[in-house]
Amino acid sequence: MHLLSLLWTLGLLLKEAQAWGFANGIFHNSIWLEQAAGVYHRESRKGRYQLTFKEAKAVCKYEGGALATYEQLEAARKIGFHVCSAGWFDKGRVGYPIVKPGANCGFGKIGIVDYGYRLNKNERWDVYCYNPHTKECGGVLTEQQKIIQTPGFPEEYQNEQICYWHIRVRLGQRVHLRFLEFDVEDDMSCLADYLEVYDSYDDVSGFVGRFCGDYLPEDIISTGEIIDIQNYFNVFGRHDD
């Protein structure tokens, strides 16, 4: 099965975004950013440096991974993983990987900028997760118009894949989401494979809908300047084909 190709364009309006939190016991509060050697960096949907240690662990665990170790972060750094944002990693440590020195990032050094083990686990940072088996796609989109699709489209999408598209537009604009093709495994409750759309940051009041099957969803227009699109493809190992 292939999934979707969709087009989003922009209009006008603004609505203040609310914070994300727990839903059904799961913490939905991060967007996918950089990834290398199984290590990937996440930040809260509320913005940079918003995750406590407990929340950071929940983000990684929810996707089948764990907090990255120092050694895993360094291995990723050695192949080009460069992120100028401090985040939690294994055992309550905080730091970030630097490939190229810069005046405003890494204090002019190369390597892991290590803030050490934090005694206060309620401090808020980003997070570095590790999952060598994850097949992830997505990213942060800010273009005025763009077509996005699953990797390899129009071929079938891969199993155990998670995709996050976080669309941010300018203050006062809206996002217009138009589905051009849609074909996801169908089941009565959309539990195996599905696509979810969120209008704004809030995963409760901002929830627009969950979609599966091959019925083309109607256009979605945001109430504010943010839309989140999340795909789960057999993330729990279920497949009904």
Side-chain angles (χ1 to χ4, degrees):
M1 255 183 299
H2 60 272
L3 174 61
L4 75 151
S5 175
L6 50 85
L7 173 70
W8 59 273
T9 55
L10 309 179
L12 297 174
L13 197 60
L14 171 69
K15 181 179 179 181
E16 183 178 357
Q18 301 177 16
W20 276 54
F22 284 88
N24 300 321
I26 300 297
F27 190 75
H28 299 256
N29 200 16
S30 65
I31 57 176
W32 176 76
L33 300 174
E34 302 84 356
Q35 181 180 23
V39 175
Y40 54 98
H41 166 224
R42 286 195 179 280
E43 68 176 26
S44 168
R45 283 199 175 95
K46 291 184 290 185
R48 193 181 187 195
Y49 299 160
Q50 294 294 324
L51 298 171
T52 66
F53 182 59
K54 179 179 179 181
E55 292 166 350
K57 288 196 298 183
V59 165
C60 299
K61 183 177 180 181
Y62 178 66
E63 296 163 356
L67 291 170
T69 65
Y70 184 98
E71 292 73 21
Q72 291 162 348
L73 195 59
E74 172 62 8
R77 189 199 66 80
K78 287 181 177 179
I79 62 171
F81 192 53
H82 177 97
V83 186
C84 191
S85 293
W88 294 103
F89 53 101
D90 191 40
K91 298 178 181 178
R93 214 164 171 175
V94 169
Y96 56 96
I98 293 298
V99 174
K100 297 180 180 180
N104 299 317
C105 185
F107 309 102
K109 299 179 181 179
I110 295 176
I112 304 298
V113 178
D114 190 356
Y115 292 3
Y117 298 95
R118 313 307 293 174
L119 296 178
N120 181 4
K121 298 301 190 292
N122 288 319
E123 291 179 359
R124 294 184 179 272
W125 305 95
D126 292 348
V127 63
Y128 292 96
C129 302
Y130 178 75
N131 185 348
H133 306 296
T134 187
K135 302 169 184 176
E136 192 149 5
C137 62
V140 179
L141 306 177
T142 58
E143 295 94 330
Q144 290 291 298
Q145 180 171 301
K146 186 176 180 65
I147 294 176
I148 58 177
Q149 56 196 31
T150 50
F153 179 88
E155 301 299 323
E156 295 182 356
Y157 57 76
Q158 300 182 46
N159 289 338
E160 299 180 357
Q161 187 170 52
I162 305 173
C163 297
Y164 295 85
W165 287 285
H166 181 75
I167 303 173
R168 299 173 179 171
V169 298
R170 291 192 295 267
L171 191 68
Q173 293 186 323
R174 290 192 295 175
V175 179
H176 182 181
L177 193 65
R178 178 177 301 151
F179 293 85
L180 304 179
E181 292 191 46
F182 190 86
D183 187 1
V184 180
E185 178 183 351
D186 193 12
D187 71 89
M188 292 295 292
S189 302
C190 288
L191 294 176
D193 298 0
Y194 56 85
L195 175 144
E196 289 183 338
V197 177
Y198 295 86
D199 177 12
S200 87
Y201 291 112
D202 196 291
D203 64 341
V204 179
S205 63
F207 179 72
V208 174
R210 176 181 289 192
F211 309 97
C212 63
D214 58 6
Y215 179 78
L216 200 66
E218 296 182 357
D219 287 12
I220 297 171
I221 300 177
S222 69
T223 59
E225 77 277 20
I226 294 165
I227 268 189
D228 282 288
I229 306 168
Q230 303 183 13
N231 296 127
Y232 298 83
F233 305 138
N234 300 313
V235 67
F236 300 110
R238 290 187 289 192
H239 201 290
D240 299 329
D241 286 353

